[in-house]
Amino acid sequence: MSDNFGRDAAETLVSGLGRRRFMGVVAAFGTLTAATGCTSTQAAAPGGSGTASAAGTASGAAGSTPSGGFGEILQPNSGTISGDAYLASTPEDVLWGYVPTVHATPVLSIRSGQTVTIDALSHEGILEDQGRNPLEYFGGLGVPESSILQDAVSIAAEYNRTPRNFDKDGPHIVTGPVAVEGAEPGDVLKIETLEAIPRVPYGVVSSRHGKGGLAVQPDVLPPAGITLEEVMPPVTTDNRASGIPSDYGNVSVFTAIEDGKAVMTSGDMKVRFALRPFLGMMGVAFAESDGLTSPEANSVPPTLGGGNIDIRHLGPGSTFYLPVKADGALFYVGDPHMGMGDGEVALTAMEGSLRGTFRLTVCKPGSGNAPSVAYTYPFGETKDAWIPIGLSDPDGLAGGGVTGDLNVAMRRAIINALDFLQNDRGMDRAIAYAYLSAAADFAVSQVVDRTVGVHGLINKADFA
């Protein structure tokens, strides 16, 4: 472990803090006038379960500050909390491997235009193939106990809301849902990411047998276009037949943060790359199934309700629009990423827990305050670009393998781009098609989430 890592950290939270619902929902009281282009109201104190605190900070707790310049370890309820409401990840309220359905009960309610800060928790370091004990897993990598998140310890040890099946369930810790008052089916939820702050100075990138861009297929066959010898992780290390996840032979690469950069070590080589934190999973309730562990609610495939969309451009300063299917929209987050390349080829990004702050605003049909495409399909935006999205299986019903077709996702991204340029920008469709070919970029979002994705980047400056 580097000397720049959180050494000599101070004492963290008081004894017992971080357990049960006490660390669950902290609603900051006050008012807000939403300065957004969509429906908003004067916001009073948000509803939901929890404990009140002074606006902007959590009471009764202090985070630890490691040496080496990283800053504060953002334990639950510690440090600066900038949202009008706060939501932690607790064993009672999160879902592990599944997302909320339209029948879910919200754990917090806010008004349109308010902001919420959510302590999103990474699943890496607590999964069954890593021992389901973050104190042992990260401690074995040289991480001091004060730099291991207490919500990770609590969930790994105490989660029993649903049974866990490592081979069937999604890996993600899903926090929420948050109800937004006034949201109704047919609306759009506008999600502005205001902050995505690393909670710890490290992350993990994992590659697991049978998953990822070079995964072995059933019956020990290579995917089309490569040989069995080119499969990753190598088939010779595949021990899934043991039935014991910690013996499967999966690969997890610990990645430290040093001087604001991610650092991977390979022998004597150190590779440094930029951090680009964002929430890989932002969604609203989509599945209509009953029960918490319906296959339609598995956390792995993204859907028309968003979810595990994995588009790296959707970090701070971005806006994500999702069609609403349930009263209150039922917003949730998970899969926090500290950095990811387009494609996410090995299976995961640099996974690491983040503190995200979001403004959630309801957009009504006919208001002109959301892209027209967004009433039926996810759509993204940054200050520089519009981001049409295509998914290979927008209902998320593909089988357990990576069965999505990138060609399908690409075609849908093109069509959504054309619809946007024609209907929202007033461009002739044939000319828009030519423009996309000449000037827009289309990239693979990810090839590892069963439902694969493509996103376009349309430069706003071209329309100045």
Side-chain angles (χ1 to χ4, degrees):
M1 185 102 193
S2 165
D3 289 339
N4 288 329
F5 186 76
R7 201 174 45 184
D8 305 322
E11 287 295 315
T12 55
L13 304 179
V14 295
S15 176
L17 191 64
R19 297 291 185 191
R20 299 299 171 190
R21 195 172 296 274
F22 180 74
M23 79 173 196
V25 181
V26 180
F29 284 75
T31 60
L32 172 73
T33 302
T36 64
C38 302
T39 304
S40 62
T41 61
Q42 284 286 103
S49 61
T51 305
S53 76
T57 60
S59 60
S64 62
T65 304
S67 60
F70 170 76
E72 192 172 20
I73 302 296
L74 294 178
Q75 297 284 4
N77 291 286
S78 76
T80 299
I81 295 171
S82 58
D84 299 297
Y86 169 64
L87 186 60
S89 295
T90 65
E92 299 85 1
D93 288 335
V94 302
L95 282 171
W96 194 345
Y98 294 86
V99 300
T101 71
V102 298
H103 307 294
T105 301
V107 297
L108 174 70
S109 179
I110 66 174
R111 296 191 179 182
S112 177
Q114 281 195 297
T115 59
V116 58
T117 295
I118 302 177
D119 273 344
L121 183 66
S122 176
H123 50 277
E124 292 292 334
I126 72 171
L127 285 172
E128 289 81 356
D129 66 338
Q130 297 162 331
R132 196 165 163 168
N133 186 330
L135 291 174
E136 290 185 0
Y137 181 78
F138 288 119
L141 293 164
V143 179
E145 184 172 344
S146 57
S147 294
I148 299 170
L149 292 173
Q150 295 180 352
D151 41 353
V153 176
S154 296
I155 288 172
E158 300 173 22
Y159 180 84
N160 61 8
R161 190 177 178 193
T162 59
R164 279 289 297 165
N165 183 328
F166 177 76
D167 296 313
K168 181 181 72 172
D169 302 335
H172 312 101
I173 305 298
V174 180
T175 306
V178 177
V180 184
E181 294 179 15
E184 302 172 305
D187 294 340
V188 163
L189 186 67
K190 177 181 178 181
I191 304 155
E192 297 171 86
T193 299
L194 307 180
E195 296 176 330
I197 302 170
R199 298 178 61 197
V200 290
Y202 55 85
V204 175
V205 183
S206 286
S207 179
R208 295 184 165 95
H209 289 289
K211 301 176 182 179
L214 300 179
V216 66
Q217 302 300 292
D219 299 323
V220 197
L221 295 173
I226 69 172
T227 67
L228 199 60
E229 290 72 26
E230 293 170 316
V231 160
M232 289 291 290
V235 294
T236 54
T237 64
D238 187 350
N239 192 35
R240 285 178 289 169
S242 70
I244 303 171
S246 57
D247 291 341
Y248 280 8
N250 295 333
V251 178
S252 292
V253 178
F254 181 85
T255 306
I257 297 175
E258 299 176 1
D259 300 322
K261 294 277 191 177
V263 181
M264 280 187 180
T265 301
S266 176
D268 294 332
M269 178 190 301
K270 283 192 173 184
V271 179
R272 294 172 171 84
F273 55 94
L275 297 175
R276 294 184 295 204
F278 73 101
L279 272 297
M281 176 180 289
M282 294 183 285
V284 297
F286 176 77
E288 297 180 352
S289 307
D290 292 319
L292 298 180
T293 59
S294 164
E296 291 79 17
N298 191 288
S299 68
V300 172
T303 67
L304 294 181
N308 193 25
I309 206 82
D310 280 341
I311 294 177
R312 67 176 181 86
H313 301 281
L314 297 179
S318 71
T319 303
F320 191 34
Y321 302 90
L322 291 174
V324 172
K325 196 172 181 180
D327 288 338
L330 302 182
F331 172 73
Y332 60 86
V333 301
D335 196 29
H337 294 166
M338 293 177 170
M340 190 189 92
D342 285 334
E344 200 185 18
V345 296
L347 178 62
T348 83
M350 179 182 170
E351 311 282 330
S353 298
L354 300 176
R355 175 166 290 174
T357 299
F358 312 90
R359 179 179 288 114
L360 305 180
T361 308
V362 178
C363 300
K364 294 293 183 180
S367 66
N369 294 321
S372 58
V373 175
Y375 288 91
T376 57
Y377 218 96
F379 193 92
E381 183 177 0
T382 68
K383 67 181 181 63
D384 296 320
W386 294 295
I387 306 175
I389 296 165
L391 301 173
S392 64
D393 175 34
D395 292 323
L397 299 178
V402 181
T403 58
D405 187 335
L406 273 173
N407 289 322
V408 172
M410 179 69 182
R411 292 179 191 121
R412 180 50 54 188
I414 296 169
I415 290 170
N416 287 339
L418 287 173
D419 287 347
F420 171 73
L421 292 177
Q422 179 180 24
N423 299 330
D424 295 53
R425 305 303 301 179
M427 203 171 185
D428 177 85
R429 197 172 185 89
I431 295 174
Y433 196 29
Y435 163 78
L436 292 174
S437 190
D441 293 318
F442 287 83
V444 175
S445 307
Q446 52 74 27
V447 295
V448 297
D449 293 333
R450 297 193 336 211
T451 293
V452 299
V454 169
H455 62 270
L457 294 171
I458 301 173
N459 189 354
K460 289 181 177 180
D462 295 348
F463 295 80

